[in-house]
């Protein structure tokens, strides 16, 4: 029988990759989208005739219950959130509503509609924040450093709590930073690769960045959605760190990206103090040993391959924009 999955946040980076993965595996895929005056479905346009979209919002409990009643999925992937860390200082309450309480609303809907639903929560390495040890694993204590990180800690623990209180198959995937050509342009990786393409093609001169010393464990989003799916195929629910185990600084990311197009980054990068965060997460590096052992998961795309993939995609896209051509899918 065809399995049904519901993805919240299907219009986001991970939602698009996960929808492709589930369609490839023969699922009937449903997506939850919020109402907007203009549709922004660029990341899933190529899949539109294979998906069913439902309007609901993380703020609206009954709308979520209704979607679950209409779809009756076997698996729910809760990817929707206010996911940009700097915005969480500007809108801490809204971030809490979406990214923290939104998880409880999803879990309440699961509890009311069908407790047999398998539930995935998109937790984050931002929960480790000022990390107490390196590398971080499932036992490392949390010390979040932004309203976003604090909200994700709530989302993590409420997921664990519903598993323990109601015996719901609920998993929390603690994913480290993962990027792709579909990454939002405000995140540092895509901000850099987009600028590299524009500078190479002569339509931008400078790129303003914040803290170049921050270090992250960056992987490829396409690899990471595979881990999400694997978590829900196990006999028992659990929590897993998903990471590459290697960290690089923002400066190294800049160097790697500019090297792809034979430019010297020193000629183009300026540090803008306004982009320094009120509280920074200086370094993150994950230990995905448990995911490797229990899920058989490991990343396939390396850091240089990821940066190359993103720079090449941005070069193609910017070139198409300049020629006023449509980008091939
Ligand atoms: P993203 O590209 O920012 O996508 C976020 C999605 O959430 C979008 O589809 C957005 O819809 C939706 N959304 C936001 N508020 C909503 C609301 N009130 N109701 C319904 N939908 C709402 O994020 P991503 O990079 O794919 O990440 C997916 C999830 O993983 C997020 O929860 C993020 O916090 C978490 N995470 C990401 C990473 C990473 O490195 N990418 C690492 C760890 C955890 P619109 O299109 O309408 O805005
Ligand atoms: N965005 C951005 N813009 N970040 C910059 C800049 C800049 O101009 N300059 C330096 N950085 C540094 C930030 O200070 C941070 O230390 C690092 O680059 C990464 O920033 P982001 O790419 O915005 O990602 P993030 O680590 O804050 O959050 C992402 O990863 C989390 C997982 O750890 C997001 O995807 C979160 O949703 C996710 O949970």
């Amino acid at each position: 029988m065809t399995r049904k999955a519901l993805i919240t946040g299907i219009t986001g980076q991970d939602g698009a990759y996960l929808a492709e993965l589930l369609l490839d595996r023969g699922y009937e895929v449903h997506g939850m989208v919020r109402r907007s005056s203009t549709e922004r479905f660029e990341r899933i346009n190529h899949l539109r005739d294979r998906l069913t979209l439902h309007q609901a919002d993380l703020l609206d409990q009954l709308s979520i219950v209704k979607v679950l009643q209409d779809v009756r999925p076997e698996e729910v992937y809760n990817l929707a959130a206010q996911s940009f860390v700097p915005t969480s200082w500007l809108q801490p309450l809204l971030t809490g509503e979406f990214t923290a309480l939104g998880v409880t609303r999803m879990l309440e809907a699961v509890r009311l509609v069908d407790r047999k639903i398998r539930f995935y929560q998109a937790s984050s390495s931002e929960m480790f924040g000022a990390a107490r040890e390196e590398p971080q694993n499932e036992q490392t204590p949390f010390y979040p450093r932004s309203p976003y990180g604090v909200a994700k800690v709530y989302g993590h623990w409420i997921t664990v709590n519903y598993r323990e209180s109601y015996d719901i198959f609920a998993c929390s995937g603690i994913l480290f930073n993962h990027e792709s050509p579909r990454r939002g342009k405000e995140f540092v990786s895509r901000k850099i690769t987009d600028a590299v393409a524009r500078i190479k093609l002569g339509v931008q001169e400078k790129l303003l960045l914040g803290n170049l010393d921050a270090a992250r464990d960056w992987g490829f989003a396409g690899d990471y959605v595979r881990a999400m799916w694997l978590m829900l195929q196990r006999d028992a629910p659990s929590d897993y760190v998903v990471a590459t185990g290697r960290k690089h600084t923002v400066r190294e990311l800049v160097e790697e990206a500019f090297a792809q197009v034979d430019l010297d980054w020193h000629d183009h990068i300026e540090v803008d103090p306004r982009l320094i965060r009120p509280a920074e997460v200086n370094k993150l590096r994950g230990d995905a040993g448990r995911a490797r052992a229990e899920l058989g998961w490991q990343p396939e795309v390396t850091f240089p391959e990821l940066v190359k993939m993103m720079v090449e995609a941005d070069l193609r896209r910017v070139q198409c924009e300049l020629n006023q051509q449509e980008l091939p899918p």
Side-chain angles (χ1 to χ4, degrees), residues 13 82-86 122-127 148 152 175-179 183 185-192 207-216 218 250 275-277 280-282 284:
Q13 169 188 257
Q82 192 301 94
S83 72
F84 189 46
V85 172
S123 290
S124 164
S125 52
E126 271 286 306
M127 302 190 302
Y148 169 83
K152 281 288 180 187
L175 271 51
F176 282 61
N177 298 48
H178 46 279
E179 321 294 312
R183 185 60 142 155
K185 282 190 202 158
E186 68 273 48
F187 298 94
V188 79
S189 62
R190 187 73 199 292
K191 184 174 171 182
I192 292 167
L207 172 63
L208 301 181
L209 290 174
N211 180 9
L212 300 183
D213 296 319
R216 290 289 183 278
W218 278 293
V250 172
L275 294 170
I276 307 284
R277 299 179 178 185
E280 176 65 290
V281 171
N282 292 320
L284 290 173

Side-chain angles (χ1 to χ4, degrees), residues 186-291:
E186 68 273 48
F187 298 94
V188 79
S189 62
R190 187 73 199 292
K191 184 174 171 182
I192 292 167
T193 61
D194 176 60
V196 163
R198 303 183 78 79
I199 291 168
K200 181 69 181 173
L201 295 171
V203 288
Q204 186 172 326
E205 178 66 23
K206 296 284 179 201
L207 172 63
L208 301 181
L209 290 174
N211 180 9
L212 300 183
D213 296 319
R216 290 289 183 278
D217 178 333
W218 278 293
F220 171 52
D223 284 339
Y224 285 41
V225 297
R226 205 168 60 246
M228 298 176 186
W229 178 76
L230 285 167
M231 284 180 217
L232 296 201
Q233 312 313 309
R234 296 276 301 165
D235 290 339
S238 191
D239 307 320
Y240 294 92
V241 159
V242 178
T244 71
R246 290 168 189 267
K247 71 172 189 278
H248 298 270
T249 60
V250 172
R251 185 178 288 99
E252 286 164 353
L253 176 54
V254 164
E255 270 167 11
E256 186 77 35
F258 276 86
Q260 291 295 327
V261 293
D262 299 320
L263 289 175
D264 184 349
W265 66 274
H266 297 93
D267 298 335
H268 302 282
I269 297 291
E270 283 175 14
V271 170
D272 182 345
R274 287 171 302 181
L275 294 170
I276 307 284
R277 299 179 178 185
E280 176 65 290
V281 171
N282 292 320
K283 53 185 170 126
L284 290 173
R285 184 167 71 88
D287 169 5
R290 186 172 186 188

